[in-house]
Amino acid sequence: MARIDIFDTTLRDGEQSPGASMTPPEKLRLAHQLEALGVDIIEAGFPITSEDDFKSVQTIAREVRGPAIAGLARAVHKDIERAAAALEGAHRARLHTFLATSPIHLQHKLKISEAECLDRAAEAVRFARTLVDEVEFSAEDALRSDLPFLARVVEVVIQAGAKIVNIPDTVGYAYPEQIRRTMRTLIETVPGIDGIVLSTHCHNDLGLAVANSLAAIEAGARQVECTINGIGERAGNTALEEIVMALVVRQDAFGHTTGVNTREIHRSSQLLSFLTGINPQPNKAIVGKNAFAHEAGIHQDGVLKERTTYEIMTPELVGVPESQLVLGKHSGRHALDRRYRELGYELTAENLNQAYKLFKLLADQKKSILDEDLISILHHGTMEDVPTRFKLHTLDISCGKRPAEARVKLVDNGEETDLSVSVGDGPIAAAFDAINVLLPFRPTLDDLQIQANPGGVEAVGEVRLRLKVEGKTFTGRGASPDVVVGAVRAYLHAINKATHALSLEGQALARPDLIPGNG
Ligand code: KIV
Ligand code: ZN
């Protein structure tokens, strides 16, 4: 039996999912949750890519003490120096450097020979080891590389001081037997590989990421790189919850353990969905809304008689809370605190006070407060994650006749704006249009989802949306019993993120040395 290290890359590879970008405070919040989940390594970002990424890695390295914190760097000195600087202050830092090794990448992307690739890989690791003790090397596109050449690369990076060697299936092209063979060949033929942690990192383009990761483990990999909800480039990465639960549920077959506290899986998944506005599909294994729902009569009957007839794991094992109607207008702060604890949220006194105020406001409008409402309140109450240049001052809507009309006034940096009046096909379109007139840029809406927490006409509407500003995507969220107000809150949330990002970009332009691709 071996202990498999869980290397979570939600904050780096996961964040490369379209629309999944998070602000530094959101990343820190998720990193704390990953710590509670019990992952071994958090890849916190790619520090050279932006000032924001650098700061995120730096803050996480300083504040999250349980797991090792990794920062990514291309195999060039300036990336490695920047990643090492961001990691200063970590109780355990890992520098993760990578270089492509496949003929396609060498020829078309890097335009270097195999000999140059070997030199660069070794030099990057040697240099990284002068700055950070724990160095991981990834052979990008390893599964489309020539195996004897890949083995040479692995050999030289081990000689140069890499302690962990990752064999990524960058484009999700491999199949289980191929990965098994590749790992075995490396283990059997590369000099010096004993004592090195071999790692697997699979993308899901053919839907094989988890199966491939399991095959790699069977062949001897002892680290799995994965993301919550399987988010990541294109079709995503190996889903953390799936690989971990496969190892737990089929302990009999694989015989390995991890340090993950499975009861934190549901909460980690929910937090990520909330932060990015991206929900897993309902039938997604482990964390989808229907993952534990039994619809067919025969199945329901079976589960009532004996759970294991149709359940291979219990919802409790992955932390799905039992949903009950519990709170209402007359509930006090203690009851609220207790329910949050039951749902798994330990609130500080300050957060509890804030949540209680919002709870009281909501309870005046809605008879029964559901767990979903409590979670919306909590997230809403703590979502001041970017400086809020724009706030809502006035929103008057008239609709029912077409077109709808919206009258909006904002507060911009503490100053009341003029009243903006606009019409649209519906109240939300009219309100967004009225807001646009008051902004210094022109956003385009990409996606808008309204989800009503159960509760009939009193339901709280939770709005998540995605918009584009100057080619970049920003997500926003808002909640209110009035969906137009919820939508406007979500819109302003995304607008404030965009405003913040554009101002950071302005500062970064003054530092061309930090922009990837420049040299
Ligand atoms: O998919 C990949 O090859 C990567 C590397 C940077 C590890 O994400
Ligand atoms: Zn990747």
Side-chain angles (χ1 to χ4, degrees), residues 137-442:
F137 177 81
S138 280
E140 192 189 14
D141 207 15
L143 270 294
R144 289 193 300 169
S145 303
D146 170 55
L147 190 47
F149 176 64
L150 180 65
R152 274 292 292 148
V153 174
V154 174
E155 183 182 345
V156 300
V157 297
I158 291 173
Q159 279 165 359
K163 294 186 176 164
I164 305 96
V165 179
N166 185 34
I167 308 298
D169 182 18
T170 304
V171 290
Y173 178 72
Y175 57 95
E177 187 47 34
Q178 183 192 354
I179 296 232
R180 217 176 269 120
R181 230 180 13 243
T182 303
M183 291 292 187
R184 281 199 188 127
T185 305
L186 295 176
I187 290 170
E188 283 163 12
T189 63
V190 174
I193 202 159
D194 283 353
I196 297 300
V197 175
L198 210 52
S199 168
T200 179
H201 173 119
C202 299
H203 282 266
N204 204 31
D205 299 65
L206 293 174
L208 292 172
V210 174
N212 284 340
S213 303
L214 287 169
I217 290 171
E218 282 180 317
R222 291 296 172 257
Q223 173 178 283
V224 181
E225 303 198 354
C226 47
T227 61
I228 305 287
N229 296 348
I231 66 167
E233 284 275 355
R234 306 179 309 278
N237 289 55
T238 299
L240 180 146
E241 61 279 3
E242 293 178 20
I243 189 87
V244 167
M245 290 317 290
L247 292 172
V248 170
V249 173
R250 296 311 311 269
Q251 236 265 338
D252 61 319
F254 299 105
H256 302 308
T257 57
T258 73
V260 167
N261 174 0
T262 61
R263 287 173 199 275
E264 293 291 334
I265 284 180
H266 177 79
R267 194 168 322 134
S268 307
S269 162
Q270 294 267 304
L271 178 60
L272 177 68
S273 302
F274 167 72
L275 294 175
T276 58
I278 301 171
N279 286 330
Q281 83 263 19
N283 62 328
K284 163 85 177 61
I286 320 293
V287 294
K289 210 164 174 233
N290 298 343
F292 295 96
H294 301 282
E295 187 78 13
I298 294 176
H299 289 206
Q300 289 176 349
D301 183 53
V303 169
L304 287 174
K305 287 180 178 142
E306 166 56 45
R307 274 182 116 160
T308 54
T309 49
Y310 288 101
E311 267 184 14
I312 59 165
M313 65 195 125
T314 62
E316 298 84 65
L317 185 58
V318 296
V320 176
E322 273 185 40
S323 197
Q324 298 164 352
L325 293 178
V326 274
L327 300 173
K329 190 172 175 159
H330 302 294
S331 307
R333 197 182 302 252
H334 278 304
L336 184 67
D337 190 27
R338 198 184 56 221
R339 188 59 190 156
Y340 274 128
R341 279 175 203 280
E342 282 164 6
L343 292 172
Y345 292 89
E346 300 269 338
L347 301 197
T348 60
E350 193 191 335
N351 281 344
L352 180 64
N353 277 342
Q354 199 176 3
Y356 189 63
K357 272 190 225 148
L358 291 168
F359 167 75
K360 281 303 220 189
L361 283 175
L362 185 61
D364 277 341
Q365 301 165 46
K366 193 171 186 277
K367 227 183 326 178
S368 318
I369 308 289
L370 304 172
D371 291 341
E372 289 87 341
D373 295 329
L374 295 183
I375 292 169
S376 298
I377 283 176
L378 192 62
H379 291 325
H380 183 68
T382 53
M383 76 178 212
E384 298 285 314
D385 48 11
V386 278
T388 44
R389 171 172 164 187
F390 296 104
K391 290 189 178 144
L392 183 64
H393 180 280
T394 309
L395 174 66
D396 282 328
I397 298 284
S398 63
C399 60
K401 54 181 178 169
R402 268 175 201 271
E405 187 183 89
R407 304 163 70 78
V408 176
K409 202 185 262 195
L410 299 179
V411 176
D412 176 358
N413 269 334
E415 301 278 324
E416 253 179 63
T417 63
D418 294 337
L419 183 71
S420 165
V421 182
S422 237
V423 289
D425 284 342
I428 295 180
F432 287 1
D433 209 57
I435 291 173
N436 287 349
V437 173
L438 303 170
L439 301 176
F441 45 70
R442 186 85 194 170

Side-chain angles (χ1 to χ4, degrees), residues 8-12 15 22-35 39 41-47 52-71 85-93 275:
D8 181 279
T9 183
T10 309
L11 295 171
R12 199 279 299 168
E15 214 222 1
M22 288 172 259
T23 62
E26 288 172 334
K27 288 185 182 174
L28 179 62
R29 198 162 156 206
L30 189 64
H32 279 302
Q33 179 54 38
L34 293 172
E35 183 181 17
V39 306
I41 303 105
I42 294 176
E43 185 162 54
F46 193 172
D52 248 15
D53 239 50
F54 180 88
K55 285 209 185 102
S56 280
V57 176
Q58 187 177 53
T59 311
I60 292 169
R62 287 177 181 166
E63 293 195 20
V64 178
R65 313 309 289 178
I69 307 300
L87 291 169
E88 266 169 32
H91 88 286
R92 193 177 132 203
L275 294 175

